[in-house]
Amino acid sequence: MKESQGLDPNFLDLSARLGNDPLQVQGAGGNTSIKTGKVMWIKASGKELSNSKDENIFVKIDLDAAKAETYGNGDGSCKDTIIDPSIKLRPSIETTFHAILDWPVVTHTHSVVTLVHAISPEGLAAAESKLEGLPYAIVSYVKPGLPLTRLILEAANPETQILVLKNHGLICCGETVLAVSNLIAEVEKRLAMPERRKSPVNPSPSIVPGYTMSDESWISKDPKALKIVRAGSYYPDHVVFLGPSLTENPTAGRVAFLVENEGIYLKSDSTKSQKAMLRCLSDILLRLPSEWNPEPIGACAEAELMNWDAEKYRQSLDSVK
Ligand SMILES: [Zn+2]
């Protein structure tokens, strides 16, 4: 193990723990940051939090310059705020909100129990009562990057330490790594949802060469889950790594496709992030109460994500594993 980049080992531990928990972070999603003086260390775009202790996945940026990008001084990517110009990595797409949240430690996850609540009006109402007494705010859905940072600025006050991002995930902030770790545990405890049992799936030979039936195939036999999946996609990383919704046309080229009453087929050479995103969908649906009505992000939001250069960069780093 390498004490990467001289960063606080507790911060690296927390980052790795979040990255290794599929109920917190899936593949290259999620990001963490730590500030010292005028400097912020933030996860690099496309890197995986699970590698926090084994690889140099964090980049050092100029905190004031990143804050200034929020207010129009730059394109919001924070590419030019990296202090060492020889570093070829880009800071996370979500760097600006890490910069403007005035706390030394900030974590952003795609927590499954948060997503269960954050994709429907009924779930959000339940989350509001479950989080009562904690310094939280709810943020509407908007494309990640600068638009999201601007909504966070509107929703948060200097005391806010928990942000539930509608159709996206969770942000927790605090003075120390331990405080943030405890806060995440508290939010997870309050939002915990029982997991239904999956209906069994009979593995069958692939109907298209190069595809394998996935563990998430139960969705194709569950009328409620099927209806939800057919209605669209519910959070950005699904679109980025699996494409909009799940196609039912068994054509080669797509990462995954669904055949009703039979299964979901995943490309045999799919990447770690693609597999993780399909599992995330299943993990959410297994915890979603039947009376909650999830709202997809919609075709416009999907198109916005598919055509975004910053996401193309992140996809290009998602190598076959
Ligand atoms: Zn995110």
Side-chain angles (χ1 to χ4, degrees):
M1 191 190 85
K2 169 166 119 181
E3 288 304 350
S4 159
Q5 306 172 307
L7 285 164
D8 176 354
N10 294 321
F11 171 72
L12 296 176
D13 274 344
L14 174 64
S15 302
R17 186 159 57 77
L18 294 172
N20 281 309
D21 183 351
L23 296 178
Q24 297 293 331
V25 159
Q26 303 80 26
N31 33 69
T32 58
S33 67
I34 188 161
K35 304 180 184 86
T36 354
K38 298 278 182 200
V39 158
M40 179 170 83
W41 288 87
I42 172 101
K43 194 201 79 165
S45 181
K47 292 290 178 182
E48 297 186 17
L49 280 178
S50 59
N51 294 328
S52 296
K53 296 201 285 189
D54 312 312
E55 195 189 326
N56 291 340
I57 66 158
F58 294 93
V59 288
K60 188 159 88 167
I61 65 160
D62 179 321
L63 180 57
D64 287 336
K67 283 183 186 167
E69 292 222 2
T70 306
Y71 300 101
N73 206 337
D75 63 4
S77 72
C78 295
K79 284 198 296 264
D80 301 329
T81 67
I82 292 191
I83 291 172
D84 178 353
S86 70
I87 302 280
K88 292 290 168 260
L89 296 167
R90 290 188 193 179
S92 161
I93 291 166
E94 295 171 309
T95 296
T96 47
F97 75 63
H98 283 264
I100 55 103
L101 288 165
D102 201 11
W103 295 92
V105 179
V106 177
T107 62
H108 166 51
T109 59
H110 300 149
S111 144
V112 163
V113 291
T114 304
L115 280 165
V116 169
H117 288 82
I119 59 175
S120 73
E122 298 88 350
L124 279 170
E128 296 214 45
S129 75
K130 291 177 188 181
L131 297 177
E132 208 182 311
L134 296 178
Y136 78 90
I138 307 272
V139 182
S140 305
Y141 178 80
V142 71
K143 184 177 125 175
L146 264 189
L148 177 58
T149 299
R150 292 199 176 113
L151 277 195
I152 288 171
L153 265 177
E154 281 171 31
N157 64 45
E159 276 78 50
T160 307
Q161 285 182 268
I162 300 162
L163 293 129
V164 173
L165 311 180
K166 192 167 184 282
N167 290 80
H168 185 151
L170 176 70
I171 300 172
C172 288
C173 328
E175 288 292 347
T176 63
V177 173
L178 182 63
V180 174
S181 176
N182 290 340
L183 194 60
I184 295 170
E186 181 65 23
V187 172
E188 291 291 309
K189 190 173 88 187
R190 292 198 187 198
L191 298 184
M193 299 294 281
E195 185 185 355
R196 284 194 289 136
R197 282 192 49 207
K198 294 185 225 180
S199 41
V201 171
N202 301 322
S204 69
S206 181
I207 48 175
V208 175
Y211 284 79
T212 318
M213 191 184 257
S214 72
D215 290 342
E216 293 76 20
S217 289
W218 69 271
I219 294 168
S220 72
K221 297 189 177 194
D222 182 292
K224 172 92 185 178
L226 198 53
K227 190 172 164 213
I228 292 168
V229 166
R230 281 176 166 160
S233 35
Y234 297 87
Y235 38 90
D237 272 10
H238 178 103
V239 182
V240 172
F241 292 108
L242 294 180
S245 194
L246 272 182
T247 181
E248 294 185 51
N249 192 6
T251 40
R254 286 296 296 260
V255 179
F257 64 85
L258 179 150
V259 179
E260 186 174 354
N261 273 323
E262 191 178 298
I264 296 177
Y265 293 88
L266 190 62
K267 247 185 164 175
S268 308
D269 63 354
S270 58
T271 65
K272 195 173 155 192
S273 288
Q274 289 167 338
K275 288 190 187 98
M277 287 324 298
L278 190 56
R279 174 168 173 188
C280 177
L281 180 65
S282 169
D283 284 337
I284 291 169
L285 293 170
L286 288 171
R287 290 165 177 80
L288 192 74
S290 58
E291 64 278 17
W292 291 4
N293 298 294
E295 291 176 346
I297 58 171
C300 290
E302 288 176 347
E304 232 178 9
L305 292 162
M306 299 295 288
N307 298 322
W308 189 16
D309 280 347
E311 286 296 19
K312 288 190 179 134
Y313 169 79
R314 195 157 66 114
Q315 287 160 334
S316 73
L317 293 188
D318 183 35
S319 56
V320 176
K321 281 169 197 151

